[in-house]
Amino acid sequence: MNPSSVTVDELLEVALRAAAAGAAVLAVRDPAGFAATEKSSDADWVTAFDVAAENAVRAVIADARPHDVITGEELAPALPPEQSGYRWSIDPLDGTMNFIRNIAYYGTSVAVMGPDGEWLAGVVNAPALRRIYFASLGGGAWLDETRADGVQSVRQLHGPVEKRGGTLLSTSLSYDTDVRRRLVSELDSRMDHFGDVRRLGSAALELCGVADGSVDAYLEYGLFEHDFAAGGLIAEEAGAWVHRPVLSPAINGLPTREEVLSVWTAACVPGLEDGFAPAE
């Protein structure tokens, strides 16, 4: 694959294979192999599966696209001597606490950005849900799903396409106690525009939830780029309004926790944003 003449479809194919490799690591899910350790708080963890899944994802990308930069949650940026201009953003296990507790909402998220800074393809593979969400720039958002009865299907996602009752806001109250107190104080007024609230525990899958119409809106403080890269593109290609924060360049490593806690990520059915999104 010539890095200078790659198509979006070719990048999506690599993203699908890479995310599948990470999801295959997660699908094993043996609690004896967690080796879990705390990160920023007692609700924020990393396991041996996070690292193994990221290695699996990176191996697929490096084999197919050896001149691309790779950034991710657990490992240092991979910076080839001769760079193509394309960069991959990986979250090997989004929803680590869910994974530890055996709550099905977790998965591997993979996205790729082009030389001009646009996200070109993204995949969120959730093995316990048997769902693969994927999108490419201008190619729409799609869900490859195996239902509980074993029937497999692929369908295009358009989000909720008409006004409906019982609108749902998906949100998070953050691991940081000060941010959590502020968000709790804001939640009452924010809920004036919604019937109920949900918290799935995976930013990537909550963005995909807007894409597939499971929820009507999503808001969270404290996300890193790898948390929203793929899910944001999937929501956008499904027709959602999406707000991504501006963060320090991922090529320099992860930004500080203080930086990410000061900015927010959101997605919703177009027209709802004025009712819940913070002022710029």
Side-chain angles (χ1 to χ4, degrees):
M1 191 182 294
N2 185 336
S4 64
S5 62
V6 65
T7 67
V8 171
D9 286 343
E10 288 171 328
L11 292 170
L12 177 59
E13 188 271 335
V14 174
L16 285 163
R17 288 195 290 110
V25 173
L26 306 185
V28 175
R29 197 192 169 276
D30 178 6
F34 282 176
T37 56
E38 290 183 24
K39 289 167 71 174
S40 64
S41 77
D42 62 3
D44 189 14
W45 292 74
V46 61
T47 73
F49 282 86
D50 295 71
V51 178
E54 183 157 334
N55 277 319
V57 172
R58 286 180 180 239
V60 172
I61 296 169
D63 181 64
R65 304 277 308 166
H67 300 291
D68 292 358
V69 170
I70 305 174
T71 59
E73 181 174 20
E74 308 302 341
L75 304 175
L79 308 174
E82 296 180 17
Q83 297 176 15
S84 65
Y86 293 85
R87 180 172 64 81
W88 297 79
S89 184
I90 301 167
D91 192 343
L93 173 45
D94 189 53
T96 299
M97 182 60 78
N98 284 351
F99 181 76
I100 292 171
R101 299 295 183 93
N102 201 22
I103 299 169
Y105 282 84
Y106 58 83
T108 297
S109 175
V110 177
V112 58
M113 176 184 284
D116 59 0
E118 283 191 295
W119 293 107
L120 300 178
V123 178
V124 178
N125 189 317
L129 296 175
R130 298 193 291 181
R131 297 177 188 170
I132 304 168
Y133 294 90
F134 60 96
S136 58
L137 184 63
W142 302 81
L143 171 59
D144 183 339
E145 179 178 28
T146 302
R147 300 186 326 208
D149 61 3
V151 175
Q152 189 265 346
S153 65
V154 179
R155 62 183 174 91
Q156 190 166 6
L157 302 178
H158 301 286
V161 294
E162 58 187 37
K163 188 175 181 180
R164 58 184 180 178
T167 50
L168 295 177
L169 170 66
S170 182
T171 191
S172 167
L173 297 179
S174 170
Y175 299 133
D176 182 271
T177 54
D178 291 336
V179 175
R180 183 162 62 231
R181 289 188 187 98
R182 176 172 60 78
L183 292 175
V184 168
S185 71
E186 296 173 358
L187 188 57
D188 183 50
S189 60
R190 193 162 278 137
M191 288 307 298
D192 289 345
H193 303 275
F194 297 93
D196 207 343
V197 64
R198 292 291 183 271
R199 174 54 175 155
L200 303 181
S202 163
L205 286 170
E206 283 167 306
L207 287 162
C208 291
V210 176
D212 71 14
S214 300
V215 296
D216 301 275
Y218 165 67
L219 171 68
E220 185 163 356
Y221 280 82
L223 295 186
F224 294 90
E225 179 197 88
H226 54 257
D227 293 310
F228 60 75
L233 178 63
I234 292 164
E236 209 162 50
E237 284 293 323
W241 170 85
V242 175
H243 176 276
R244 299 174 181 85
V246 177
L247 294 167
S248 299
I251 198 169
N252 297 330
L254 295 181
T256 65
R257 192 69 186 167
E258 290 72 23
E259 180 182 351
V260 297
L261 283 170
S262 69
V263 294
W264 51 279
T265 304
C268 71
V269 179
L272 285 182
E273 58 269 23
D274 291 338
F276 79 100
E280 289 284 3

